[in-house]
Amino acid sequence: MLALSSSELDRISELLGREPSLVELYAFDAGWSEHCSYKSSRAHLRKLPVEGATVLLGVGEDAGILDLGEADGVRYGVVVAHESHNHPSQVVPFEGAATGIGGIVRDVLCMGGTLIGLLDPLRFGRADLAGHAHQRYVAQSVVDGVGGYGNAIGVPNLGGDVYWDESFDDNCLVNVVALGLVRADQVVHSRVPAGADGWNLVLVGKATDASGFGGAAFSSLALDEEQAEANKGAVQVPDPFLKSVLMRATYRALPLLRALGVREPGFKDLGAGGVLGCSSELVAAGGMGAEIDLDAVHVSAADLPAEVIAVGETQERMLWAVPPGEPTELLLRIYNEEFGLPHVSRGARASVIGRVRSEPRYTMLHRGTVVVDVPVQVLTSGIRYEREVGGAPHRESEDPRLCVDLAAVLPLVLAHRDVCSREPLIRRYDRMVRGTTVIPAGHGDAGVIAPIPGSALGVAVSVDGNPRYGKLNARVAAELAVCESARNVAAVGGEPIGLTDCLNFGNPTKPAQMGELVEAIEGLGAAARALGLPYVSGNVSLYNESSAGSSVAPSPIIACIGRVADISCTAGFAFKRPGSAVVLLGARSAALGGSVVAEVVHAAGGSLPRPSPEVVRTEIEAVRRGFADGSILSAHDISDGGLLACVAEMAMGPNGENGVGARLSSAGDFAPSVPESAAWFGEAGGFVLELSAAAAEGVVGRWRGEGLDAVRIGSTVAEPILSAGAVTFALAELSKAWLTPLRDLYA
Amino acid sequence: MKTAIIVFPGSNSEEETLRAVNEAGGAGRLVWWFEGPQALRGFDAFILPGGFAYEDRIRAGAVAARDPIVAAVIDAATHGAPTLGICNGAQVLVETGLVPGTGPVGRPQAALAPNAAGHFIDTYAEMVLSAPPERCIFTRHLEPGARVPAWASHGEGRYAFRDDQTRRAVQEQQLLVFRYAGENFNGAELNCAALTNPAGNALAIMPHPERVGWRYQQPQRAKLDVRGDREAYLRPYGGNRLFALFAQVFAR
Amino acid sequence: MSLVVASVELKIPDNAAFTAFDALRRMGVRDVGDVKRSDLWIIESGRLPQEVCDALKRTEIIFNPNKHVMRSLQSDRPAPGEIWVATPGRSHERERRLLEQAGLSGIRSVESRVRWLLLDEHGTPCGHPTLERARDLLANPAYQDALIA
């Protein structure tokens, strides 16, 4: 089961000056896995911007925190975490997807946050094709797992996205983003404070069992059909019922601890590396050590081996560091008696499993024998590799000269699996629980919530990353993903304040695949710097490749978090009323590489649109002003399917029943320098805006004066039609094409 | 009216339900399951909120319906205390037999069975008042045929009746308080969204009125006329009308 | 018999079985020491049990080797200590389609049950009075049938 290489084994003996014990061996196996130590990516991740005025807490703890602003004189932060659970979801899709949510929820909880939202970016194989029963099973069961967990714990789904590509046939991607709300003065840290010598380490949650043993190492190995069965020890068992109770018990414990004067408890999620990984990082982050008694860990069976108790990755566990006496007794009472964990899950409870000590040494006892005794930083410093970075494949080429028949092609574009309505999938998720949802998932380019009761302060959030672009050029795809996520937040009336990234790539030991990772990180950095946005959280998932050894489409998946100063100045993408001006903001381009239209008409080749993040920034600022002054009635980001698909969606609305039509001029009138097909279907980013008729002329004139590429392209109308130049569509026909494709999988 | 919102392990809509009661002018408090039946003393009305009590393991509402604290609620309800079950709370009330209450005490006459589609559905679901307003204490201030917005989020929300006799009794006694105004998305018998008991003091309502209970939660069109007015956005609206009773002075 | 009864059981911990156990104990059903649960697939196709089980395994949705074990039962009636819960009127069209895609021909009927097994502290099947007390917890008679040995 050990994934350590022989050179890594030698390095361990060298570090310790002796042969490691069995438990130590497993500890290094987990700690030095790609999943925990970012051994291939860390050097490159340093290039990302991580600082800025909106950052309350940057990268480095369980989750990052962005400054949301003040409500009633209290400053609030948005806790953000972004993780992947790709490999587990391929093997046991339901449990894998569910435990992905379970893990990230704990990351937010451990920062002292209240869970306020979840998003789920998903990438599946060709589940829509006959003969792909396995891909279909994965695509359905992952969604069931996301819903089964998220719905039960009562955290609203705020969005997500889904793409289908053959490169995910053997290796789906299941990312998850979680948001929390915390008062800026009540942030809890994943470290023990100074003066914590002698504090108790209190483990809460599920009884440790053999499930999830070998998890961290498992998630860093390429998947192999035969190994799937052998890896079953690493199947993690989700328990959203236990999580729901743990969340509420924790919400109750935090203020009571503060009342006892414990303002800086240590609190950390047990993820990769189990008890050992979590406790060593918690104390090392405060410059201290710990002694752990493995016999005090509550377990499911008396005969569990020491290494399983020490590093097994049983779900639904967290670790507190609190002073002895009243604070410790408080935690034991809340979890064990009031909230009755033992009744919720067999053997679940809170147990004191060890103590913090000032000497930075980490020891573990098992049945009276010392099984770990090392300087703590040896466990937590990880390992890194300078991987050989090869040239990333660039597969762009000259753009095809398309001359498509609008009337025939628009319905096909709308019915494409990457464009069609996500409603059949989204309606498996609870979007309104907590009563804070302002714009539900699927109704706007970003989800919007008002998480503070009685306050108009809101949060907008979107996730993006297009695998069709990733396959052509990882760097440009990364830039496009950053720009699109920021535009999506702006399109509902939000102001982008920060980003998270999850880098889903192939095998870092293969120079070309490592090259894609490195180029994508460069693209992420460049775009974020130009937009003035910091990364506050992130994750790297490598070894995403098929059994034949080809990588998944390079997939930098980005979440953008936005501040909404006033929720009454937000809107979903549906056209609001007839008689408004339809305005295009953002230049069209001839680029058709990776576009939906190229796939629909089987046109090969093409280049990616080159975004200019500086221009995107000024466009976003213009849209923000338009929402604030009320001139923008609705907005929609131009992405998959291009301009015409974008306008069609605004006319159809989220359920296809909006019924406000639009008449647009000919492409030659507003984009004379671009071929007609590329003007309507090219995927260069931008916005389509519905402006009140009275304001439109002034606003467009002002924007043009500022150098923006803005042009009125038509009007909304009362008839349920969409006309583009000389071609007219009935909205009912378009809705039929757009609404139905995913019903086959999810109805 | 002092209203207890009862939180089971696995409940998840308690906070917004409490807000809905208080914003309607009531006086609500969360009562946790571990506080026990004695904690319900002094309350006039009860709400069982939405969520997944015991994760709806075995079947929705089955385990919670057997909690001692629920026995105390049913006892109060049979003595006339206003009792509202929303979503998971409705599933619990139906499991106890309180609603529709056409058979012997403690015997369920109906079920909230898995949706006909076989999976969880999250959708806007407007309701139409289908019994005379005075039939149920929660609706007596509404106009006949009133439409009340709500949002459904459930996997087991299909009202099913035990037998023809129950079905007839529900219709004859006008216990079917709300039907869905639009598509019968979960396959419920009689397109039923909410049932009351013969005394009219209990209501088991499957979609959530508190999820469309403030202006900001309304569908886009229903808030267009107050764009830019933050006070209006934050005001109770729509589904909050079903919480009006809790503001009244209660005389049993 | 022409019916094949396949029992699909979790080999990872079964949370629902634990909750049933805890609920029964809290209801005062003191002689329950453990609860086990499985999904039963009752299939009439004229095929051998092995062929039916193999087809069920190929569906993936019904059976995933990483979390399930499967065996065929000798009887289509509950054994001592068991309560079988059926949901009349539940459509099994989807499962029938999956089985056909998995290569099982001649399917005449597909039905399912949830099988609960109640054991006492010593691992012996619980007796009839205990099963009677558990019946209403495990099945709502308004839409389900509970079958006891």
Side-chain angles (χ1 to χ4, degrees):
Chain A
M1 281 291 284
L2 286 174
L4 288 168
S5 68
S6 62
S7 63
E8 286 171 345
L9 289 172
D10 291 344
R11 174 106 182 91
I12 291 167
S13 302
E14 198 181 303
L15 268 173
L16 296 181
R18 61 174 165 81
E19 290 299 306
S21 74
L22 187 64
V23 177
E24 287 166 346
L25 208 49
Y26 275 99
F28 283 106
D29 189 50
W32 284 7
S33 72
E34 200 72 62
H35 189 77
C36 290
S37 71
Y38 298 97
K39 56 192 176 190
S40 303
S41 51
R42 183 150 41 181
H44 304 283
L45 290 171
R46 294 242 159 87
K47 298 174 196 157
L48 293 177
V50 295
E51 286 169 359
T54 56
V55 178
L56 284 183
L57 181 73
V59 176
E61 298 195 32
D62 279 356
I65 306 180
L66 285 160
D67 186 356
L68 182 61
E70 284 192 11
D72 276 339
V74 177
R75 182 159 295 279
Y76 287 91
V78 187
V79 187
V80 200
H82 191 165
E83 289 275 351
S84 64
H85 229 217
N86 304 336
H87 297 108
S89 300
Q90 184 65 32
V91 177
V92 270
F94 183 94
E95 285 77 8
T99 50
I101 295 184
I104 201 162
V105 161
R106 289 191 299 278
D107 286 333
V108 171
L109 205 51
C110 289
M111 305 309 297
T114 298
L115 270 294
I116 58 173
L118 289 169
L119 299 92
D120 54 312
L122 306 173
R123 304 289 180 265
F124 297 131
R126 293 164 295 174
D128 53 338
L129 297 186
H132 283 71
H134 178 70
Q135 286 72 22
R136 199 179 165 86
Y137 162 63
V138 171
Q140 291 176 331
S141 298
V142 161
V143 168
D144 285 346
V146 170
Y149 202 103
N151 297 346
I153 60 171
V155 181
N157 186 285
L158 305 182
D161 64 353
V162 59
Y163 281 93
W164 320 80
D165 188 89
E166 65 180 305
S167 72
F168 306 119
D169 277 358
D170 296 346
N171 193 131
C172 65
L173 301 183
V174 175
N175 283 191
V176 56
V177 176
L179 302 184
L181 182 74
V182 66
R183 280 177 57 145
D185 59 353
Q186 295 179 353
V187 172
V188 174
H189 293 281
S190 331
R191 65 160 185 264
V192 296
D197 187 25
W199 281 24
N200 284 323
L201 292 167
V202 183
L203 177 68
V204 302
K206 199 167 189 170
T208 299
D209 57 30
S211 75
F213 182 55
F218 166 64
S219 67
S220 307
L221 288 172
L223 281 183
D224 177 332
E225 276 298 312
E226 265 97 75
Q227 262 187 17
E229 166 73 3
N231 274 329
K232 66 178 180 281
V235 172
Q236 298 161 334
V237 183
D239 191 342
F241 175 35
L242 176 56
K243 175 61 55 62
S244 175
V245 175
L246 278 173
M247 280 164 60
R248 280 157 182 79
T250 301
Y251 295 158
R252 188 173 170 90
L254 284 164
L256 292 176
L257 276 178
R258 270 194 298 276
L260 289 178
V262 185
R263 307 204 66 84
E264 288 186 86
F267 195 22
K268 190 169 174 61
D269 161 46
L270 268 78
V275 167
L276 188 146
C278 174
S279 57
S280 60
E281 286 177 26
L282 184 69
V283 295
M288 307 188 99
E291 53 192 32
I292 304 286
D293 179 4
L294 286 180
D295 300 315
V297 173
H298 46 282
V299 293
S300 66
D303 56 350
L304 277 191
E307 63 273 19
V308 175
I309 308 173
V311 305
E313 294 172 11
T314 303
Q315 289 286 302
E316 320 299 3
R317 300 180 301 166
M318 300 179 291
L319 188 69
W320 288 90
V322 291
E326 254 186 289
T328 298
E329 284 155 24
L330 173 81
L331 289 184
L332 296 178
R333 188 180 74 241
I334 289 176
Y335 288 108
N336 292 341
E337 289 162 38
E338 290 186 350
F339 285 78
L341 294 192
H343 288 289
V344 175
S345 167
R346 194 187 295 274
R349 56 181 304 106
S351 306
V352 177
I353 64 159
R355 262 159 307 281
V356 180
R357 52 191 224 185
S358 54
E359 190 198 347
R361 213 170 166 77
Y362 188 90
T363 59
M364 255 184 177
L365 280 172
H366 182 243
R367 295 186 184 154
T369 308
V370 176
V371 291
V372 177
D373 185 2
V374 293
V376 69
Q377 68 274 13
V378 170
L379 290 171
T380 56
S381 57
I383 189 170
R384 69 199 66 170
Y385 284 126
E386 293 297 325
R387 301 278 192 206
E388 187 187 340
V389 179
H394 290 171
R395 302 193 178 90
E396 291 174 278
S397 57
E398 198 178 326
D399 284 296
R401 297 291 297 184
L402 292 190
C403 190
V404 303
D405 172 7
L406 273 193
V409 167
L410 178 61
L412 295 177
V413 166
L414 291 175
H416 186 276
R417 59 183 186 267
D418 293 341
V419 179
C420 66
S421 166
R422 270 57 187 135
E423 185 66 18
L425 188 160
I426 299 173
R427 72 194 228 134
R428 301 245 180 147
Y429 304 148
D430 192 333
R431 291 175 273 194
M432 304 298 277
V433 64
R434 292 183 52 77
T436 54
T437 306
V438 180
I439 299 181
H443 290 233
D445 287 359
V448 178
I449 47 171
I452 306 160
S455 166
L457 203 55
V459 177
V461 60
S462 170
V463 290
D464 293 282
N466 187 326
R468 284 180 281 109
Y469 303 165
K471 285 204 278 196
L472 294 183
N473 186 322
R475 180 201 312 261
V476 177
E479 290 179 28
L480 287 165
V482 172
C483 291
E484 188 183 344
S485 68
R487 260 199 313 269
N488 280 333
V489 162
V492 294
E495 173 199 355
I497 55 171
L499 302 166
T500 67
D501 61 303
C502 186
L503 304 171
N504 306 271
F505 283 80
N507 186 338
T509 65
K510 297 178 181 172
Q513 295 186 15
M514 186 66 199
E516 290 174 331
L517 172 67
V518 171
E519 285 205 359
I521 293 172
E522 288 166 2
L524 294 181
R529 268 187 293 272
L531 289 169
L533 296 173
Y535 291 91
V536 289
S537 179
N539 178 246
V540 178
S541 170
L542 301 178
Y543 299 97
N544 292 291
E545 52 181 351
S546 72
S547 43
S550 55
S551 168
V552 297
S555 297
I557 297 180
I558 302 304
C560 180
I561 292 86
R563 171 162 49 204
V564 174
D566 179 354
I567 54 166
S568 72
C569 298
T570 61
F573 63 73
F575 282 138
K576 298 297 177 293
R577 58 183 178 224
S580 311
V582 179
V583 170
L584 167 66
L585 179 61
R588 297 304 81 210
S589 134
L592 286 170
S595 67
V596 168
V597 73
E599 194 169 301
V600 162
V601 303
H602 307 291
S607 64
L608 291 177
R610 290 295 189 273
S612 162
E614 292 77 11
V615 172
V616 173
R617 188 175 187 167
T618 53
E619 288 171 358
I620 284 174
E621 176 54 23
V623 170
R624 196 192 62 74
R625 290 195 315 255
F627 270 102
D629 68 21
S631 55
I632 294 179
L633 298 177
S634 58
H636 199 8
D637 161 61
I638 301 169
S639 60
D640 307 75
L643 169 64
L644 196 53
C646 176
V647 178
E649 287 172 1
M650 297 175 85
M652 295 185 288
N655 297 310
E657 295 164 354
N658 189 49
V660 178
R663 284 188 198 281
L664 308 181
S665 49
S666 297
D669 295 343
F670 62 82
S673 59
V674 174
E676 191 194 355
S677 295
W680 288 123
F681 295 111
E683 297 179 5
F687 295 92
V688 174
L689 305 167
E690 179 189 8
L691 295 182
S692 62
E697 200 176 330
V699 170
V700 172
R702 195 166 64 241
W703 285 348
R704 292 175 76 100
E706 291 165 11
L708 289 174
D709 215 301
V711 57
R712 178 168 180 166
I713 60 171
S715 304
T716 59
V717 297
E719 306 96 283
I721 55 148
L722 170 62
S723 69
V727 184
T728 299
F729 304 89
L731 286 186
E733 288 303 307
L734 296 181
S735 292
K736 202 171 142 202
W738 183 65
L739 289 173
T740 47
L742 288 192
R743 286 188 189 160
D744 169 51
L745 268 169
Y746 296 110
Chain B
M1 193 177 288
K2 284 183 68 184
T3 302
I5 293 111
I6 295 161
V7 190
F8 299 102
S11 293
N12 69 20
S13 303
E14 66 273 14
E15 292 287 346
E16 58 269 36
T17 305
L18 175 66
R19 282 171 58 209
V21 168
N22 291 346
E23 295 226 20
R29 174 169 101 72
L30 300 185
V31 175
W32 298 80
W33 78 95
F34 52 77
E35 295 181 59
Q38 62 279 6
L40 297 182
R41 262 184 240 129
F43 285 100
D44 307 306
F46 304 94
I47 302 181
L48 309 187
F52 290 76
Y54 299 92
E55 207 195 329
D56 286 350
R57 289 173 184 170
I58 304 176
R59 111 190 134 263
V63 178
R66 288 157 177 85
D67 262 4
I69 201 165
V70 171
V73 171
I74 301 305
D75 184 54
T78 51
H79 290 90
T83 303
L84 178 63
I86 302 170
C87 195
N88 195 223
Q91 293 162 335
V92 175
L93 291 184
V94 167
E95 273 287 329
T96 64
L98 177 71
V99 172
T102 51
V105 176
R107 244 173 106 83
Q109 299 300 308
L112 285 157
N115 297 344
H119 58 75
F120 188 94
I121 296 174
D122 179 79
T123 183
Y124 180 76
E126 192 179 46
M127 305 185 298
V128 187
L129 185 58
S130 304
E134 62 278 9
R135 186 66 192 86
C136 173
I137 52 170
F138 291 99
T139 60
R140 60 191 181 195
H141 61 295
L142 300 180
E143 62 284 4
R147 288 182 170 240
V148 178
W151 192 287
S153 307
H154 56 244
E156 299 176 49
R158 173 169 60 91
Y159 263 109
F161 301 106
R162 182 169 191 149
D163 46 33
D164 281 338
Q165 197 187 336
T166 307
R167 206 169 287 114
R168 259 197 317 278
V170 163
Q171 290 172 293
E172 283 166 12
Q173 297 182 45
Q174 297 180 305
L175 304 181
L176 201 168
V177 174
F178 285 107
R179 285 194 170 87
Y180 293 110
E183 175 204 9
N184 184 354
F185 60 91
N186 63 18
E189 283 195 41
L190 308 176
N191 201 8
C192 177
L195 283 184
T196 188
N197 59 337
N201 66 311
L203 183 63
I205 173 171
M206 209 48 229
H208 294 262
E210 83 283 6
R211 293 187 183 185
V212 204
W214 285 267
R215 194 62 176 269
Y216 66 82
Q217 298 170 318
Q218 308 302 314
Q220 293 286 315
R221 292 274 179 77
K223 52 190 179 191
L224 189 58
D225 60 326
V226 287
R227 270 286 284 279
D229 179 347
R230 70 171 72 185
E231 298 303 321
Y233 252 59
L234 293 170
R235 233 169 265 141
Y237 192 79
N240 196 263
R241 296 175 79 194
L242 283 185
F243 293 84
L245 176 76
F246 299 109
Q248 295 182 7
V249 177
F250 187 64
R252 209 176 279 185
Chain C
M1 68 184 176
S2 65
L3 288 176
V4 174
V5 183
S7 171
V8 177
E9 196 163 340
L10 287 170
K11 62 184 177 189
I12 57 180
D14 186 342
N15 293 330
F18 173 74
T19 296
F21 162 74
D22 191 65
L24 286 168
R25 293 293 290 241
R26 283 185 296 115
M27 284 163 59
V29 186
R30 285 286 152 209
D31 61 333
V32 175
D34 197 8
V35 174
K36 294 183 181 301
R37 184 185 68 129
S38 66
D39 287 326
L40 301 183
W41 297 96
I42 304 176
I43 290 152
E44 192 180 357
S45 66
R47 299 277 152 183
L48 296 173
Q50 192 59 49
E51 292 176 280
V52 174
C53 286
D54 287 348
L56 280 166
K57 287 182 180 178
R58 284 192 295 271
T59 62
E60 292 195 289
I61 278 192
I62 295 171
F63 179 86
N64 178 327
N66 294 298
K67 62 176 182 178
H68 291 128
V69 288
M70 185 189 295
R71 64 194 170 95
S72 67
L73 303 186
Q74 298 305 311
S75 167
D76 62 350
R77 307 282 306 166
E82 291 183 350
I83 301 179
W84 288 14
V85 178
T87 305
R90 186 193 142 176
S91 164
H92 292 91
E93 262 320 296
R94 174 167 173 256
E95 289 83 4
R96 173 195 280 265
R97 222 176 33 245
L98 285 168
L99 281 167
E100 282 168 354
Q101 283 163 5
L104 192 70
S105 58
I107 301 171
R108 285 192 285 279
S109 71
V110 178
E111 286 188 42
S112 67
R113 308 272 186 273
V114 178
R115 166 186 160 274
W116 299 89
L117 170 60
L118 278 57
L119 301 169
D120 69 13
E121 298 285 359
H122 311 288
T124 316
C126 290
H128 216 266
T130 303
L131 299 184
E132 281 298 338
R133 292 192 65 189
R135 181 201 285 263
D136 279 0
L137 173 68
L138 300 178
N140 180 335
Y143 80 111
Q144 294 173 313
D145 291 334
L147 221 66
I148 293 180

